Structure formats: structure tokens, C-alpha cells
Amino acid sequence: MEKHSINIVFAGHVDHGKSTLIGRLLYDTGCLPEEKIKEIEKSSRSVGKEMEFAFVMDHLKEERSKGITIDTAQTFFKTKNKKFVIIDVPGHKEFLKNMITGSTLGQTALVLVDAEESVRDQTKRHCYLLNTLGLNKIFVVINKMDLVNYSEKRFNKVKDEITDYLNKLNIEILGVIPVSAKLGDNIVNLSDKMPWYKGESLLDIMDRFKVEEKEFYNLCLPVQDVYDFVADKNVFVGRIEGGTLKKGSKVIVLPERKEVTINKILKYGEENLTSAGVGECIGFLPEGNVELKRGNIIVDNTNYNITRKFKANIFWLSKYPGGINEKYTLKCSTQEMDCEIEKIYKRFDPASMEIVEEEAEKISGTEIAEILLKTEKDVVVNKFSNMPHLGRFVLEKDNNIVAGGVII
Ligand code: GDP
């Protein structure tokens, strides 16, 4: 078993079988505890079924909402050599939101297409978004093959449709596998119901997946909060999103470009660390009397932009239209400030990939737009591909998320 696990996002139109496939994968790879299996069998019997795999996800979600399993890293399945952690994104809106705001980013994705229904607009929108967020190598699963009599002809038709679209996006396809998530065909082992399929089972294909390690060496530590419980000194806390924070090192506080020295690094239960790395939530004390606040970004390099204007692709999420010259709240990492959309260069329908309008004034529905955003204060940003954490943001109005975006 390889040391590092791989984060995988499941995408696809609602009802095409995401939950069922996830349930099936967890069950068939022995990654569900015995007592969970019993509970799910019980719920399944109560609706007259032997085993409803979609219930696996319901059970896990219920646990999460009760706060039992806060750690999403709990939901994983194993292939021969690898461990895949599932990043669960339930509805379409949640999908968009999680992809933009989620703390854990996907490293690969699996897109499901129902063999009967074939590709839907939502399937395409998800693929488009995956690609924008840098997930450009994906697995494609054509599900519910049992409902189309395991027909090779039908499989090829659906396969052509999805591959045409993915090719347009320049997404690399790691495999197109005909399966029945419900009955388990071609998931772990090859099924004798589809002798025409000459490829490998889904798990065998996934087992060969290699993550292209993209390490973020440059320090990026957004200040989340300020605590004043240590004597007369303020402690600044945050999660390290890139690089390493070292005791005694000189760092730069953005957007002010102040230089400070790190005097002390603290962690729950550990008083005096010499360094801390990516993913660690820490507190630190700078030398001297330095006032920092939530929204400051601590860096050790010049690989960032401080600006009041940037170009971005946004995904509209609100049921109300929005547009230029309207006020929004920008949230990017821990930074928060007023902003407005100065320009909408073009808005387009991600399903058809067609430009709906250029130099537009409004955006609505589930459209995507290329915009110029103007902020009221200096904001620290980076291209998504350079530093994902400073490259994605949300726009809010009256405390509701109206759009998610990626800086280009
Ligand atoms: P999701 O919305 O994508 O998570 O879809 P679900 O996993 O909830 O599945 C939607 C419906 O399709 C449920 O009734 C499942 O039992 C059914 N389903 C999922 N996979 C299959 C399959 O391979 N074959 C058949 N016949 N039904 C399936």
C-alpha cells in the first residue's frame, strides 16, 4: 500500500448513481466496518431490498451531520496499492460550492454517466468545473449497464458522446468503463455479462493512477484569528497552506508588505515548535509588538500579487441574476472585503461551451463568465495553478454565496 492517499471527486448528473457507486466501492473493498454493514442491511430490508448501496452514503452523511465523523478522510476505499479518499459533493449547487471553497482539493475525478440517459447538461458543467480547477485527468464510468441489457452498441454511443465533450475541454480520459454499480459488474472484477468489453475493471484501472506531485514550497499562511490569552502578547493563528513556517525566520506580512520575525510557533499540546508544514493549524508569536489581523497573508517570497483588480472565471450560483456595478462581498482565503464586477467580458453556457454574450451586463442561471473584479482594498491573490488557496474565491450578497470563482 502506498503511503499517500489520493483525493478523488465524484461528479455527474443527479441520479446517475454516484452514491450507489461510492457505497459499492466501500463495500466491495472491505472499507465499511461490520456494524455499518449491518445497519445498512437493516435500512435496506425495511424498504424491501437486500442491499441498497446508496444508503451507505446516507448513513455516512447522517454521521457527519451528527458530528460523529467530522473527518471526511474517513470515507475511503482501497485498490491493491492505493487508498482513495472520497470528496463527497452531493447536489449540483453543493458540488460547485465545495469545489470552490472546500478545504480539501481533489487530485483526480470520476465522472458517472447513466447508460440509459446518457450525458446531461449537469454532467458537462461538472466536467467543465473540474477542468477549470486543474483536474484534467479523469475516469469515466458508464453506469446502469444492466438497464440497457449490457448492450455494447449503447455503451459505444454514450462513450462517444462523453469523450467528444471531454476532448473539447482537453481533459485526458484515464478509462471508460461500463459498469452496474448496483449489481457490481466490472467494479472489482470483470463481469461475464459484458464479454465484449476488453478493458480492465474500474478498480484495476484506478490502481494504476499516479498523482503528479505538485508541491507548494512557498510559504502561505493566512491569518485566521487573533487570540490574546498568552500573557500580554497576541497569538495569531492559521492553517499553513503552502511551504514551511520556521522559528526565527523572517517573513512578509501582506498586503502591507511588513517584515516580521517568527519568535515562537505553538500548536495544541506543543509549546515550542521549531517548524510547521502544510496542513498544520498553528499559532505564532512575532518578535516585538506587531499588530496582525484576520485576512493578513504571511509569505516568504515574492510569488503573489497585491491588487485591487483581477480577472476571473466565475460560476453563477444564485437564483437571482447579478451583474456589473453591483456590490458583493469577496471572500478569498481569510480575506474579506467589498467588491464589484467591473466588466463581464463574456458569459457562456458551460454545457454547450457557447458564448451567450460578449461585453455583457448581467449573469444568471448556471452560467459562467469571464469578468474583471474590482475590490475596495488591496487583496492578495495568485493564479489558481500557482497557489490554489489564493486562486479561488466566492462572492456573497446578504450572506449568501452567489458565485464561485477561479483567478486567471
Ligand atoms: P446519485 O444521485 O448520483 O447519488 O444517484 P443514486 O446513487 O442515489 O442512484 C439513483 C438511483 O439509481 C437509485 O434508485 C439507485 O438504486 C439507482 N441505480 C444506481 N446505480 C444503478 C445501476 O447500476 N443499475 C440500476 N438498475 N440502478 C442503479
Side-chain angles (χ1 to χ4, degrees):
M1 185 64 52
E2 285 171 20
K3 199 166 78 194
H4 294 291
S5 51
I6 300 166
N7 297 332
I8 185 165
V9 176
F10 280 67
H13 186 80
V14 63
D15 278 344
H16 281 195
K18 280 197 297 280
S19 313
T20 307
L21 179 63
I22 293 171
R24 166 62 73 181
L25 284 167
L26 299 184
Y27 183 78
D28 282 6
T29 59
C31 293
L32 269 183
E34 194 60 38
E35 83 265 21
K36 267 286 68 82
I37 298 174
K38 287 213 177 84
E39 273 174 40
I40 293 154
E41 278 170 348
K42 205 170 137 200
S43 324
S44 303
R45 270 197 304 275
S46 72
V47 294
K49 291 181 180 173
E50 213 169 292
M51 190 72 182
E52 176 60 55
F53 286 100
F55 283 171
V56 175
M57 285 314 287
D58 293 344
H59 272 263
L60 294 171
K61 263 177 229 155
E62 194 182 272
E63 279 195 358
R64 242 176 264 168
S65 66
K66 280 190 207 144
I68 301 169
T69 332
I70 322 157
D71 190 2
T72 40
Q74 297 287 334
T75 319
F76 61 84
F77 61 90
K78 287 174 181 163
T79 61
K80 278 186 205 95
N81 301 297
K82 300 203 165 83
K83 178 173 160 184
F84 285 86
V85 175
I86 296 168
I87 302 182
D88 169 33
V89 272
H92 180 60
K93 209 162 169 175
E94 288 77 10
F95 180 86
L96 288 162
K97 255 192 222 170
N98 280 26
M99 288 296 291
I100 299 278
T101 61
S103 61
T104 320
L105 291 174
Q107 291 165 308
T108 183
L110 184 152
V111 173
L112 260 106
V113 186
D114 184 318
E116 241 186 355
E117 282 201 10
S118 195
V119 180
R120 302 285 298 269
D121 282 359
Q122 207 179 71
T123 321
K124 293 183 178 173
R125 289 200 188 94
H126 285 184
C127 294
Y128 183 92
L129 184 67
L130 293 172
N131 195 38
T132 311
L133 294 176
L135 294 178
N136 46 20
K137 289 185 181 185
I138 65 177
F139 303 96
V140 177
V141 159
I142 313 288
N143 189 32
K144 307 198 189 180
M145 285 302 294
D146 56 303
L147 294 183
V148 296
N149 294 319
Y150 300 101
S151 155
E152 179 181 14
K153 204 170 143 212
R154 181 67 195 160
F155 170 74
N156 283 332
K157 189 160 186 301
V158 179
K159 178 181 169 183
D160 287 348
E161 211 177 311
I162 184 76
T163 44
D164 274 356
Y165 184 74
L166 295 175
N167 287 339
K168 268 194 217 166
L169 293 175
N170 272 327
I171 288 182
E172 188 185 325
I173 301 166
L174 301 167
V176 185
I177 308 109
V179 311
S180 166
K182 190 172 177 157
L183 304 175
D185 296 307
N186 287 346
I187 307 280
V188 179
N189 298 310
L190 285 177
S191 160
D192 53 12
K193 291 173 203 138
M194 291 171 270
W196 46 264
Y197 173 66
K198 302 295 177 215
E200 297 166 277
S201 71
L202 175 61
L203 276 195
D204 283 346
I205 291 183
M206 293 182 98
D207 192 52
R208 283 193 281 108
F209 179 73
K210 275 203 176 65
V211 179
E212 272 171 39
E213 281 302 338
K214 200 171 177 189
E215 301 237 3
F216 298 104
Y217 296 111
N218 292 324
L219 176 68
C220 174
L221 167 59
V223 176
Q224 236 160 46
D225 216 339
V226 182
Y227 296 152
D228 53 11
F229 55 61
V230 182
D232 55 341
K233 281 258 186 186
N234 281 341
V235 178
F236 305 101
V237 298
R239 180 178 187 272
I240 300 177
E241 301 295 345
T244 312
L245 184 72
K246 292 193 191 88
K247 183 181 158 150
S249 64
K250 279 199 169 57
V251 296
I252 309 158
V253 179
L254 302 181
E256 295 88 351
R257 295 187 171 90
K258 256 190 303 211
E259 205 175 85
V260 303
T261 304
I262 301 294
N263 225 355
K264 217 172 197 181
I265 305 172
L266 319 160
K267 206 173 160 178
Y268 188 70
E270 284 167 274
E271 257 299 287
N272 213 345
L273 294 175
T274 51
S275 75
V278 176
E280 289 193 81
C281 297
I282 49 100
F284 67 92
L285 287 157
E287 202 174 270
N289 257 333
V290 187
E291 270 321 303
L292 306 180
K293 54 184 185 302
R294 180 181 163 87
N296 275 142
I297 312 285
I298 313 290
V299 299
D300 62 356
N301 59 93
T302 50
N303 182 23
Y304 52 80
N305 300 295
I306 300 172
T307 182
R308 291 189 183 200
K309 267 184 197 180
F310 59 84
K311 258 189 178 181
N313 274 332
I314 59 166
F315 306 84
W316 200 252
L317 294 164
S318 170
K319 59 181 177 206
Y320 306 107
I324 55 175
N325 301 324
E326 269 190 67
K327 288 249 181 300
Y328 299 102
T329 305
L330 168 76
K331 287 190 175 171
C332 175
S333 180
T334 55
Q335 308 174 95
E336 190 174 328
M337 65 192 71
D338 286 347
C339 70
E340 59 185 74
I341 299 173
E342 190 168 273
K343 268 201 174 94
I344 301 178
Y345 298 108
K346 51 191 170 197
R347 68 188 172 91
F348 53 102
D349 179 350
S352 62
M353 297 277 288
E354 270 163 24
I355 295 178
V356 182
E357 189 186 8
E358 293 194 54
E359 300 301 329
E361 304 219 321
K362 293 247 170 280
I363 173 166
S364 61
T366 49
E367 284 169 356
I368 290 178
E370 195 182 304
I371 62 154
L372 183 68
L373 202 76
K374 190 172 99 186
T375 56
E376 51 131 24
K377 299 191 291 198
D378 285 347
V379 58
V380 185
V381 293
N382 209 327
K383 264 197 207 160
F384 182 82
S385 50
N386 289 344
M387 173 49 75
H389 198 72
L390 292 177
R392 56 194 172 134
F393 62 90
V394 292
L395 297 181
E396 290 190 0
K397 196 164 190 100
D398 306 324
N399 294 319
N400 289 313
I401 294 182
V402 297
V406 175
I407 293 163
I408 52 177

